[in-house]
C-alpha cells in the first residue's frame, strides 16, 4: 500500500470516528444535548404511572419529566431542546445508556452500588421508594404464600428475584416469567399462587388488567430478617464513571429543586394508594 493511500485511509477513518463514535463521550452529555438540540430518553412501556401507552400514546411520570428536563436544558438557548423517546426494557435499559443510544433511562430502576459496578452506569438520586411484594388471591392462596407453601413467580435477574430468594423457599420460586403482566396473568389463571414484583408496579398492572383488588386480591410484603421490607429507591440510569459526574449532579439538582419536576412527581407518584403509603412509611422510618 503506497504512502498516499495510507494517509487517505487514516484520514477517512479519523473522520468516520468523529462522526460515528463507537461510544458517545458522556462527560459532555449536557453540551451534546444542547448542540444537537435533542435529548434522547429511554422509557419503559410496561410500567403504569412511570411509563406506559394509553390508546397508543406515551403517558406517565417519565414522559412528563423528560419534557420538563428538556425545558430546563432549553433555558437561555435560541431554540428549544426536542425530546425523543426510546422504548427500553428490563433487559435493554443498561446497554441503551452505556452504548450512548440514550442520554438517560427513566423507569422503575432499583438503585444499588452493585448494579452501578456491574453495568458501568450511575444512578441519579431516588425519585420514588417502594418494596418487593407478592400479589396473591385472597383466601387459601394468600395463606399458603404467607407460610412459604405455594409457588411464587418472578421475573429472572431482577432485584425482586434476589429479594424473594432471600426470604422464600427456593424450590417454590418460578422465575420463568419475562414480564410483570405475564406473571399477574399466571396468578389469575391459577398457574402460580403469587407473583413478586415492586408493590406499586403490581398495583398498576392489576388496575390495568381490571383485577378487583379490594375484594379478590391482596399484597403480601416479604421482610428481611430484621423485619423491614426489601425497600427499593428508583433512580434514572445515567452514564457511568467519574467523567460523567457533572451530568449526574445536573440531574440530581433538577430532581431536587426544579418546581416543574416536583409538580410532575406529585401528579403521578404523590398519592397512589394506601398500600404504597404503607410501604413508603416502612421504608423511611428510622
Amino acid at each position: 500500500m503506497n504512502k498516499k493511500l495510507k494517509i487517505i485511509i487514516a484520514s477517512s477513518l479519523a473522520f468516520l470516528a468523529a462522526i460515528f463514535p463507537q461510544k458517545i463521550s458522556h462527560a459532555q452529555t449536557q453540551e451534546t444535548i444542547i448542540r444537537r438540540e435533542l435529548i434522547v430518553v429511554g422509557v419503559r412501556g410496561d410500567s403504569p404511572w412511570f411509563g406506559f401507552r394509553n390508546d397508543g400514546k406515551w403517558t406517565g411520570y417519565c414522559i412528563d419529566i423528560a419534557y420538563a428536563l428538556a425545558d430546563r436544558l432549553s433555558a437561555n438557548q435560541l431554540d428549544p431542546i426536542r425530546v425523543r423517546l426510546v422504548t427500553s426494557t428490563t433487559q435493554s435499559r443498561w446497554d441503551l445508556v452505556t452504548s450512548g443510544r440514550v442520554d438517560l433511562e427513566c423507569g422503575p430502576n432499583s438503585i444499588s452500588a452493585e448494579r452501578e459496578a456491574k453495568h458501568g452506569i450511575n444512578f441519579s438520586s431516588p425519585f420514588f421508594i417502594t418494596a418487593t411484594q407478592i400479589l396473591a388471591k385472597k383466601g387459601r392462596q394468600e395463606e399458603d404464600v404467607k407460610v412459604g407453601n405455594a409457588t411464587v413467580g418472578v421475573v429472572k435477574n431482577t432485584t425482586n428475584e434476589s429479594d424473594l430468594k432471600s426470604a422464600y423457599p427456593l424450590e417454590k420460586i418460578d422465575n420463568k416469567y419475562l414480564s410483570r403482566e405475564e406473571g399477574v396473568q399466571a396468578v389469575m389463571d391459577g398457574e402460580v399462587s403469587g407473583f413478586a414484583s415492586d408493590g406499586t408496579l403490581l398495583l398498576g398492572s392489576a388496575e390495568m388488567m381490571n383485577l378487583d383488588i379490594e375484594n379478590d386480591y391482596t399484597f403480601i410484603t416479604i421482610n428481611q430478617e430484621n423485619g423491614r421490607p426489601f425497600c427499593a429507591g428508583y433512580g434514572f440510569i445515567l452514564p457511568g464513571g467519574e467523567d460523567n459526574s457533572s451530568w449526574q449532579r445536573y440531574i440530581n439538582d433538577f430532581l431536587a429543586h426544579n418546581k416543574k419536576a416536583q409538580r410532575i412527581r406529585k401528579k403521578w407518584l404523590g398519592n397512589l394508594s394506601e398500600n404504597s403509603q404503607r410501604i413508603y412509611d416502612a421504608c423511611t422510618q428510622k
Side-chain angles (χ1 to χ4, degrees), residues 251-270:
I251 293 297
N252 288 345
D253 180 76
F254 167 75
L255 291 173
H257 301 115
N258 185 269
K259 291 183 178 179
K260 184 177 287 188
Q262 292 170 355
R263 288 196 298 270
I264 291 169
R265 188 198 178 285
K266 184 176 181 180
K267 169 188 173 183
W268 287 104
L269 308 174

Side-chain angles (χ1 to χ4, degrees), residues 6-23:
K6 287 182 179 179
I7 293 173
I8 292 173
I9 292 174
S11 299
S12 299
L13 291 174
F15 176 72
L16 290 172
I19 299 179
F20 305 110
Q22 187 174 19
K23 186 175 290 188

Side-chain angles (χ1 to χ4, degrees), residues 67-217:
Y67 281 93
L69 179 57
D71 288 345
R72 176 67 184 84
L73 288 162
S74 297
N76 303 318
Q77 302 302 315
L78 292 176
D79 296 307
I81 304 297
R82 295 169 291 117
V83 175
R84 178 186 297 162
L85 301 176
V86 175
T87 302
S88 62
T89 65
T90 302
Q91 293 76 29
S92 71
R93 53 187 166 170
W94 317 108
D95 187 57
L96 284 174
V97 175
T98 57
S99 67
R101 283 177 283 172
V102 301
D103 301 306
L104 63 88
E105 199 272 356
C106 176
N109 306 306
S110 298
I111 298 170
S112 76
E114 291 79 11
R115 282 181 155 186
E116 288 185 326
K118 178 180 178 180
H119 299 288
I121 54 92
N122 286 327
F123 282 111
S124 72
S125 56
F127 61 86
F128 189 73
I129 295 175
T130 186
T132 298
Q133 290 187 300
I134 298 172
L135 176 73
K137 288 183 179 180
K138 291 182 177 179
R140 177 62 183 273
Q141 289 188 357
E142 175 186 2
E143 297 306 315
D144 286 344
V145 169
K146 285 182 176 179
V147 298
N149 193 33
T151 300
V152 173
V154 69
V155 176
K156 190 175 183 178
N157 295 328
T158 59
T159 54
N160 304 124
E161 183 187 25
S162 299
D163 295 344
L164 196 61
K165 285 181 176 180
S166 298
Y168 206 77
L170 293 178
E171 67 273 12
K172 295 292 185 179
I173 297 174
D174 187 347
N175 65 357
K176 70 182 178 186
Y177 299 97
L178 300 178
S179 71
R180 192 181 319 104
E181 287 70 23
E182 183 184 358
V184 173
Q185 187 65 53
V187 175
M188 295 171 63
D189 295 341
E191 182 180 315
V192 290
S193 296
F195 185 79
S197 185
D198 292 352
T200 299
L201 299 179
L202 282 173
L203 176 62
S205 295
E207 289 191 356
M208 292 185 70
M209 298 170 74
N210 297 316
L211 273 65
D212 188 346
I213 295 297
E214 185 174 346
N215 295 310
D216 296 335
Y217 291 86

Side-chain angles (χ1 to χ4, degrees), residues 128-131 133 138 199-200 203 213-214 217-221 223 227-231 270-285:
F128 189 73
I129 295 175
T130 186
Q133 290 187 300
K138 291 182 177 179
T200 299
L203 176 62
I213 295 297
E214 185 174 346
Y217 291 86
T218 189
F219 297 97
I220 302 166
T221 302
N223 292 321
R228 292 175 62 86
F230 287 92
C231 302
N271 187 27
L272 292 180
S273 69
E274 292 182 6
N275 180 63
S276 295
Q277 187 62 48
R278 284 195 298 271
I279 292 175
Y280 181 85
D281 292 341
C283 289
T284 55
Q285 68 179 359

